[in-house]
Amino acid sequence: MKPVLDAIDPREALTILGPSKAKIRGGDASDSGAVWPEPLLRARAEVLAQSKVDNGGLRPAWLRYSGNFYRNVGNELGEAAGSGRLLILSGGYGILRADEPIPYYDRKLRLSDWPTGVLEDAVIDEARRVGATKAVTFVSASADYAKLARRIPWGSTEIEGVLVTIDFHGGGAQVEVPRRLAQAFGAWWRHSPSDYPPGMVVEVLD
């Protein structure tokens, strides 16, 4: 399935990444007033009311996270954020545009927190907004982030969904899996398939 990924132009696709538990505190960005569908905003407000949120300043979403994926990814992440076609899945916010300013928060994604269809519809709407006909998600296979990617009804849309995960069963998975996901994302962005990591799995979703 790797040729499927190689055939997708990263700069034309919608790229979707997971967040990380580790985050940088503080910030000085201003609120962008990002426009999202009302059902997502309502659901966000309810989830955030039950979450730990530190209003000590805002940072663009892609600069808020500091876990193993974000520590190991290179300049490709900044390029993707600058393209306006990067989404980050979030336990507190559902989905975030890369440049959307957010405070420090602590909330793992639980699909049970979100009304069925709200996140799925928002992802599809975002792909259409940016004119993407491909959406590529890089997340851990075992978390709700991958479940969300699989739950989106790609087959009933004009958008092809692709999920990239890592098949890894050794010790230290919490470090190694995000590190390999960062490597996979970077190699794809650079059009360098020889740099794909061991255990990378590419799944076409429908």
Side-chain angles (χ1 to χ4, degrees):
M1 297 302 290
K2 291 175 184 176
V4 171
L5 186 62
D6 298 341
I8 299 174
D9 184 345
R11 289 150 187 83
E12 296 294 328
L14 178 70
T15 302
I16 306 171
L17 304 178
S20 69
K21 181 175 176 60
K23 301 175 185 69
I24 299 170
R25 291 186 179 271
D28 55 10
S30 58
D31 191 342
S32 65
V35 178
W36 286 107
E38 188 60 34
L40 174 62
L41 294 177
R42 283 199 306 268
R44 260 190 190 182
E46 292 182 9
V47 172
L48 287 171
Q50 305 169 48
S51 307
K52 297 177 183 177
V53 179
D54 178 358
N55 294 315
L58 302 177
R59 292 176 67 90
W62 75 279
L63 295 172
R64 175 64 69 190
Y65 302 101
S66 60
N68 289 306
F69 177 93
Y70 292 86
R71 285 201 297 271
N72 285 281
V73 75
N75 295 332
E76 294 84 6
L77 180 60
E79 293 176 16
S83 75
R85 292 167 170 265
L86 176 62
L87 285 184
I88 300 175
L89 304 179
S90 162
Y93 289 82
I95 62 172
L96 290 159
R97 296 187 184 109
D99 62 352
E100 190 172 344
I102 57 170
Y104 178 97
Y105 71 95
D106 185 15
R107 185 80 177 189
K108 185 176 181 179
L109 180 68
R110 301 180 184 89
L111 291 180
S112 58
D113 287 343
W114 301 86
T116 301
V118 167
L119 299 182
E120 296 90 330
D121 290 349
V123 171
I124 290 170
D125 287 348
E126 185 67 5
R128 288 172 172 160
R129 187 185 74 84
V130 301
T133 59
K134 313 282 186 181
V136 183
T137 303
F138 294 81
V139 290
S140 167
S142 61
D144 273 11
Y145 305 101
K147 292 178 185 177
L148 173 60
R150 291 190 179 104
R151 211 163 78 168
I152 295 171
W154 304 107
S156 63
T157 75
E158 73 285 7
I159 303 157
E160 180 181 28
V162 175
L163 175 63
V164 180
T165 56
I166 302 296
D167 183 18
F168 180 82
H169 303 285
Q174 290 186 331
V175 172
E176 190 62 21
V177 168
R179 187 188 72 78
R180 293 192 189 185
L181 281 171
Q183 185 179 345
F185 164 72
W188 174 62
W189 190 267
R190 295 190 306 273
H191 302 285
S192 183
S194 63
D195 292 331
Y196 287 148
M200 189 180 87
V201 178
V202 179
E203 181 180 347
V204 176
L205 306 174
D206 54 25

